[in-house]
Amino acid sequence: MKEIKENIIQRIKANFADAAEKNDFKDNRVDFSVKKETIPSILFYLKDEMGFIHLSHISCVDWLEEGELEVVFIVWSPKDKIKVFVRTRLDRDNPVMDNVDMIWRQANTYEREMREMFGVQFTGLVAPEEFLLEDWQGPPPFRRDFDTAAYAEKTFWHRPGREDAQDVRETIANRDGEEIPDFAKKYSR
Amino acid sequence: MREKATTLYIGPQHPGITGNMMVKVQVEGDTIVKARTEVGYLHRAFEKLQERRNWLQSFTLLCRFCVPEPDPVEESYARAVELLEGREVPERAKYIRVLMLELARIGSYMLWYGGQNGSLGLYTMGQWSVGDRNYILDLFEELTGGRVYHMYIWPGGVRRDLPEGFAEKVLRTMDYLEKRLKDYDDLMFDNTIFQKRTQGVGIISKEKAVEWGVVGPVLRGSGIKSDIRIDDPYEVYDKLDFIVPTHEGGDIWSRALVRRQEIRQSIRIIRQVIEQMPSGEYYNRIPNPHKWALPKGDAYARTEATRGEVGMYIVSDGGVHPRRIHFRGAAYVHGITLLEDLLIGENVADISAIMNSLGTCPPEIER
Amino acid sequence: MEMIHIIFLIFLGGAVLTYFAGKVSKVLQDIFFLLSVLVPAYLFFANVGIGKEVTLTLGGITLVWGVNHFSWLFSLIVLGLGSMAAIYAIGYMKGKERKGYFYFNFILSIMAMMGILLSLDLVSFFVFWEIMTWSSYLMTVYNGHETQRIGIKYFVFSAIGAYAMLMAIVIVHHVAGSFMIGSMINFYPNMSLSLQIWIPILFLMAFGVKAALMPLHVWAPDAYSNAPMAYTSVFSGALSKMGIYGMVIVLVTMINQIPQGFWFREVIAWLGGITAVLGTLWAIKQDDAKKLLAYSSVAQLGYIIVGIAIGTELGMLAGLFLAVMHALFKGTLFMVTGAVEKQTGTTNFTEVTGLIRKMPWTFFAALFSIIALAGIPPLGGFVGKWMLYEALITSNHYLLVIVIFFSSTAAFLYCYKFLFGFFLGQEEKEWAHVKEAPVVMLVPMIIMSVLMFVLGTFPGLILKPINSGLVDLGYIDTFKHLWNTSIIFNAWGDHVVLQPILYYIIAIFVFFALFLTWKGHKTTRYVTTKDISSSGEVPAEDENLTFSVGFMQPFLRAVAPAMRRQIDKYYTGIADGLESLFEFMRRIYTGNGQTYAVYVIVFVVVVLLFKSVLF
Amino acid sequence: METVLMDILGAVVTFLVAFVVGMTYGGLSRKITARVQNRKGPPWYQNFIDAFKLGFKKSAIHHGVMHHLGGAFLMVSSVMTLMIVPVLSHNNWFPNLNFQGDLIFLLYIMTFGPLGMALGAGQTGNPNSAIGVTRGLSQMVGFEIPWVLALVALMIQYHTTSITGLMAAQAHSGTWLMFSSPFAFIAAVMAMLGMFRYSPFDIVGAPTELASGPVSENGGKYLFVMMSSGSVFTFAKLTLYVDLFMGGADNLLILLVKTFALYLIPMLYGMTTPRYRTEQAVRWFWGWPSFFGLLAILQAVIF
Amino acid sequence: MMNDKNSQKIVDIIQNWARKHSIWVLAYGTGCGAIEIPPTMTSRYDAERLGVRGAATPRQADVLLITGYLTVKTMKRVIRVYEQMQDPKYVIGFGSCTINGGMYYDSYNTIKVLDKYLPVDVYINGCMPRPEAVLSGFAQLQKRIAEGRANGAQQYKDNLEWYRANQKKIIPNWIMPEYNW
């Protein structure tokens, strides 16, 4: 496995000067960081030249403190049994990158979700604007500066009793006129 | 100006839909000319919520990712955390995990039996298989305390050891299921009408399967041998003897056959697991969860579920809360865009059957 | 001056006057038009006695006109439907161009049809036949140049038929020495065998074209759907019956006299059966109401032909009863289509939808006609269908009955499609402005609907003249043996008693209708068709929720092999062949009258020269 | 006046018997299905409760007059069928319309309801309903062919088109028609599978495909009337089959035994089969069932 | 002689008895609780013996089963479906998330308290409620129907404005047909 990993790293380094590798993982994993402009070409290369035909995952991580969004592509080669992480960083205020759904069709779905949840704009992405949310008016909700608890507190009704951990059984039993046996009362806080 | 083609809303409130999602199809006659899926009816923002919980608390949310079969998700998460932290897992725990996963696989396929046949109007099959599935849920209940949500496979091993006599019970259940599977075959696979309805419908060719990144039984139903248990073995799958069934054809029928054979393989695996299971520790204890911080870094672990590859990508910034947990649902790729593509040219009558054969599970798409 | 002459004079004069009255006043034109259809109709039924003959000698040829019971029955169809269509046409033509042209040809058509029915000699028969062809051709091309090709198709077919008839007439005159139809019939058994076969075939070619019998039906759907709807109801309802009229005379009075006649009748019956099936299947496929009804007409004429071709008393009764019913319901349906076209501007099912609340009376007429067309009790269509089946079963046509039944059941598909396409489905905003058709158009439709209803329970009203006509043709009296005022029998003595059935149906319907209305009437409410259970979604405004494209696709897919083999190959093969023939014909029909005259002379000379070789 | 009252009484009693028996059969069908599916199942009278519940629904909606009256059209069809079919073979039952219509009439009055119902479904504007209707009508064209073939075979064998005539012929010859013309019986039973709309021919409603198709907009009293009509129709059709092929029945008990035996055929077959697609169903009817129908005609012509 | 009130009472008892024993549940898997519905309906638990049965469309259904959390997007559809149901109609809130948000108490996309938006007749506690709990919920509903206390629909009708205001607060783009009887 080690030779295969070395081989992959060498080929990538030879072709993509800006690829910074990381290879200290115990499992079958190789990691590259590249500039966002390189993403389509490196993915094309991985898929067409090196047999990484399966796109396993695309994820986005919000590094709020560093003002950056990190997009991670995880690809898998059934031949070499190696997974390769390709990551890039985007400016958090203007996260724009190239669309890669012509390389893998399923990337389309991931990109739609990222666009909605993180506000990452993919140039040339053809898909309806809304994906999971409907009529959403707030900021992209998966960014770390969006406080979901506060939003929920503000928007929705909350049943009182949650904060003092009151037993709802009591409320319901009272409404239905049921007797709560004594032994049961002992357990309700 | 109105369009000529008729709009049909298949879902969200529709008996033929697999869960809470919507396929808006436009039909001419009863042939679909355009299809658009809409998801998000089940979006609860798990991953956002998990960022507010600590590493163990976020675990309770995990099993809600995909209700028919929550264990592979737990497994992925547990392994991702272990990978990131470098935590060792006892050998016995690995076997128990495999047992758990395979039981879950059978249970999920039993539910699929119901869905697939219900979509074609063979309700008896659903009644039988979903009824028999309760025996598997009973095993889960005895082992974990929960029928549906187990929260059993967790970082460092499993939550508790097998109870007394559990192995025998499992074997007994497996014997019963094997007997029942024959009945299922008689009712379903030997049925000419079932064959007529499923053969040649919803075809995913090999090239298309690769192009769209299809995984799991759907991919194997298109004739491509691909299974993470073999390709990227985890736990003790490399020590077990089983085969990965594939079928050429790529239609509903092939996918059904693949699933059918996988149940048999799962039963085989379970028998081997019980035979080979070593004694010893089952849990490598984690520290106080409230102070349990993972090292900075990320990890990705994936597991073969009944719908294909489910993966868990976790990112830690070195704190007690996850920086990001991102779940890769198996149906994420074929449940949305591929379905849109696949439905074109098909009959209205087959929408539900095709969806069921893809194993689309909306909650894991929307999370 | 005999009454029949006066009638024809009124027709002719009325036509000319109507044409020129348009230059003076539109209203005057309408009035003239109505008068010149209705007055002769009144005069005919009031003053013309059955059995009377009148003669007119023109240029050495004596034209003999008269009416018997049989032609009286058809006159009833022609003048009845003609009057209704005339009233309807006033409303339909309002605001349209070339009214004079339309009225002129309309009156001429009616006149020609009456002429055909009243002619007792072959010369006037042929002359009126040609006038009918011409006037209907001119109507077919009413809509302008695009329809020219369709018109030519129709005309070529008619011309083939007409020349065949002309040839037969010449031959008959040659061998029988007289132009009288009666003498032709009397002389027929004495002819040579080849003539016995050829003369009916030649006549049947002419009649088959008008009756849209299977290989000759190609023109019908296009011509029916392109003529103005007010005329198409006459075209399909009455004009096609001229073919039936001729066929009855040929089949019954001539062929029945020779032993080979059995085969003739079988072949014609099967042709009729196949016509019915193909017409039905093609009607199901149509997305345009006019086309649908046109193919449906072809199919319905198939039933009628089957009925008269099998030739038993019950078969004749069935065929002629269906002919009357067809005039009623198909006339109404074309009127309905015309009304919808007038109000919405289109007759395409994929565009029009949900008019039921806009045009309730039109819907009512359409509903009754459709129920009658489908042959469902208690409307008149059922009586005809019942008699047809019983006639087929009792005369041992077991397979034909299946063919007919298939066609008749499959007819439900297009029946439903017609009603659904226009009146049911979503109510769309784009048709919100549509109003009910004008009264003058509604009245004829309603009258005819009521007639269909009455005939469904009291078919005796119309079976009586049919019976008299059949007695004239040499059949035995079937009163009380095959029909009563409201009881119909078959040859085995089984019967349907229509009157109590009607009462039961009305009672049950009213009871449950009242139950549905009365029960919880306070909390029952009307909701618009937008508020449907669309799986929880709220459909956007521009979504089309009406199922209109490819309506009967599952069925069509099931019959696709049959459609492909039989229709695509043979039918369009024939049609394609005919297309090239039209091109050839177009070159022949130069439009120059002298050329035509030369053709006719050449034709006659050829026939006369080679008659001994040919026959 | 007396006869009119007797007629009304007869009609009402026959209707009630048909209603009760049809509903019970429906309930029994659910019970038996449940037993096959390893369940306890609802009580046998569950269908009555369901029907009454629907009748007791407080509110209802309709989309227009045709939709409103769809149930009445359906009822005309089912009750008229019931009135035409002799319930018991001897005259100790109300004659209703037994001698006033024949088989051809019956064929047509049976199609009255579906068409009226289809109109009602059409007016709802629900595309599912319209698709369901096209499926139903297509299927009807499918199963009518073997059904008519079988009936024509019977008619030409005994030279009568009336039900009473056929019953008399059976009584006269002493054998049931299902034995003397077995092919006709086979074809008719195969057509019956389609008529009863159990699986695999439940393509009209098909919940997983069309969300119940034509009835998808009907609730409350409208569904109640439809359910009642279905029950009455079930009984009427079964009685018709018994009259035609099993020599009728002398008393109600025998009738129940015979009809239930017949009813088991589509029910049990339906439990073990998925649903056909429409064109497959139509073609199925034009395959073996029609072949048996043709054999029946051949038999009738030759013997 | 019975007076009107007594006869009305008897009619009510019969009606409620029929309603109680025939519960048609709308087939709408709104949340993850839908996973326990198939077992409830099938052989081991067999809800059909209580008269519980699935209905394909809201027009025919009696009970709207809210199987778990409702996201805002689903909420809109659920309201529409509920308003298309015919009186008398009942709502069963299923799982803790319908009662107080459950484990999604801080999610920005799910509602926390169902009875602020729809009138709930019976709540079934648990995450996830077992089939036995579901059956007991149905039994509870039956009890309430028999006693005539399951009048959520009436409550909804009477307080429509209040419910409507709550609904509109969370659903920004309100394009639904108005509920007008």
Side-chain angles (χ1 to χ4, degrees), chain C residues 145-383:
Chain C
H145 287 293
E146 307 88 65
T147 53
Q148 200 66 257
R149 227 174 116 262
I150 290 158
I152 286 184
K153 188 153 86 173
Y154 169 52
F155 197 82
V156 166
F157 269 92
S158 295
I160 293 171
Y163 286 141
M165 182 152 76
L166 183 61
M167 205 194 293
I169 290 171
V170 170
I171 295 166
V172 165
H173 184 244
H174 183 76
V175 296
S178 161
F179 280 121
M180 296 300 289
I181 293 175
S183 59
M184 174 178 82
I185 294 167
N186 291 335
F187 191 72
Y188 181 74
N190 306 330
M191 291 183 192
S192 68
L193 184 60
S194 66
L195 278 186
Q196 278 180 341
I197 293 170
W198 274 106
I199 286 180
I201 288 182
L202 289 173
F203 271 116
L204 283 176
M205 272 175 78
F207 301 143
V209 167
K210 283 284 178 292
L213 190 59
M214 206 268 283
L216 305 170
H217 69 285
V218 183
W219 60 272
D222 285 338
Y224 285 165
S225 56
N226 277 289
M229 285 297 112
Y231 182 69
T232 308
S233 55
V234 175
F235 201 169
S236 156
L239 202 142
S240 60
K241 301 297 178 306
M242 295 303 110
I244 304 293
Y245 173 77
M247 263 189 204
V248 172
I249 290 180
V250 171
L251 281 172
V252 172
T253 57
M254 291 166 69
I255 293 177
N256 267 4
Q257 299 181 29
I258 59 168
Q260 290 85 354
F262 171 74
W263 294 107
F264 255 104
R265 293 209 313 270
E266 286 300 295
V267 169
I268 300 287
W270 271 98
L271 282 180
I274 294 168
T275 313
V277 170
L278 294 188
T280 306
L281 291 184
W282 274 91
I284 294 169
K285 213 173 175 185
Q286 302 309 315
D287 271 342
D288 189 285
K290 297 172 176 177
K291 276 271 164 74
L292 184 147
L293 291 179
Y295 276 109
S296 152
S297 293
V298 172
Q300 297 287 333
L301 286 166
Y303 299 145
I304 299 171
I305 290 169
V306 170
I308 61 174
I310 61 168
T312 60
E313 285 97 4
L314 199 56
M316 293 302 287
L317 281 178
L320 295 178
F321 189 83
L322 274 175
V324 175
M325 284 310 297
H326 181 243
L328 281 175
F329 60 67
K330 201 48 66 70
T332 315
L333 283 177
F334 274 115
M335 288 178 185
V336 166
T337 312
V340 171
E341 187 189 25
K342 176 128 183 118
Q343 302 304 96
T344 64
T346 172
T347 55
N348 199 320
F349 294 135
T350 57
E351 288 166 22
V352 187
T353 159
L355 295 183
I356 175 167
R357 272 152 40 81
K358 309 285 187 310
M359 306 174 77
W361 288 103
T362 315
F363 172 74
F364 172 79
L367 178 66
F368 266 52
S369 324
I370 284 292
I371 293 179
L373 193 160
I376 290 173
L379 263 72
F382 166 71
V383 177

Side-chain angles (χ1 to χ4, degrees), chain C residues 398-415:
Chain C
Y398 309 127
L399 293 181
L400 202 53
V401 75
I402 303 300
V403 169
I404 295 296
F405 199 89
F406 170 77
S407 154
S408 158
T409 319
F412 293 146
L413 301 185
Y414 70 69
C415 288

Side-chain angles (χ1 to χ4, degrees), chain C residues 356-357 363 367 370-371 374-378 382 385-386 389-390 393 398-399 401-402 405-406 408-410 412-413 416 419-420 424-427 490 492 494-497 500-501 504-505 508-509 512-513 515-517 519-521 523-529 531-533 545-547 551-552 554-555 557-561, chain D residues 7 15 55 57-64 66 68-69 71-73 75-76 79-80 83 96-97 99-102 104-105 107-109 111-112 115 118-119 122-127 130-131 133-134 137-138 140-141 144-145 148-149 152 155-156 159-162 216-217 221-222 224-225 278-279 282-283 286 294 297 301:
Chain C
I356 175 167
R357 272 152 40 81
F363 172 74
L367 178 66
I370 284 292
I371 293 179
I376 290 173
F382 166 71
K385 285 264 174 76
W386 188 88
Y389 291 129
E390 304 286 355
I393 293 169
Y398 309 127
L399 293 181
V401 75
I402 303 300
F405 199 89
F406 170 77
S408 158
T409 319
F412 293 146
L413 301 185
Y416 182 69
L419 282 182
F420 182 87
L424 305 177
Q426 290 284 330
E427 291 172 26
N490 73 2
W492 293 336
D494 305 311
H495 60 275
V496 173
V497 191
I501 285 171
Y504 268 72
I505 287 179
I508 297 166
F509 186 81
F512 285 101
F515 170 80
L516 282 172
T517 315
K519 162 128 204 348
H521 63 97
T523 47
T524 304
R525 63 195 180 100
Y526 166 81
V527 296
T528 65
T529 50
D531 187 10
I532 54 173
S533 59
L545 291 173
T546 304
F547 183 57
F551 198 66
M552 288 299 173
F555 179 79
R557 215 181 298 121
V559 296
Chain D
D7 283 353
F15 174 79
K57 275 273 188 190
K58 268 187 209 143
S59 63
I61 57 104
H62 65 88
H63 291 285
M66 280 315 285
H68 179 68
L69 294 179
F73 278 99
M75 268 295 182
V76 167
V79 180
M80 279 307 285
M83 295 289 128
N96 297 325
L97 285 177
F99 302 98
Q100 329 248 302
D102 70 344
I104 303 280
F105 173 78
L107 280 174
Y108 270 93
I109 198 73
T111 58
F112 184 97
L115 208 61
L119 293 175
Q123 208 194 1
T124 62
N126 194 325
I131 296 179
V133 166
T134 66
L137 292 177
S138 308
M140 197 172 82
V141 180
E144 292 274 332
I145 298 301
V148 170
L149 280 166
V152 169
M155 290 175 197
I156 56 184
H159 271 261
T160 175
T161 63
S162 81
S216 58
E217 287 294 310
K221 60 183 180 184
Y222 298 107
F224 167 65
V225 169
T278 319
E279 71 268 18
V282 173
R283 282 196 198 144
W286 294 346
L294 286 175
I297 287 198
V301 172

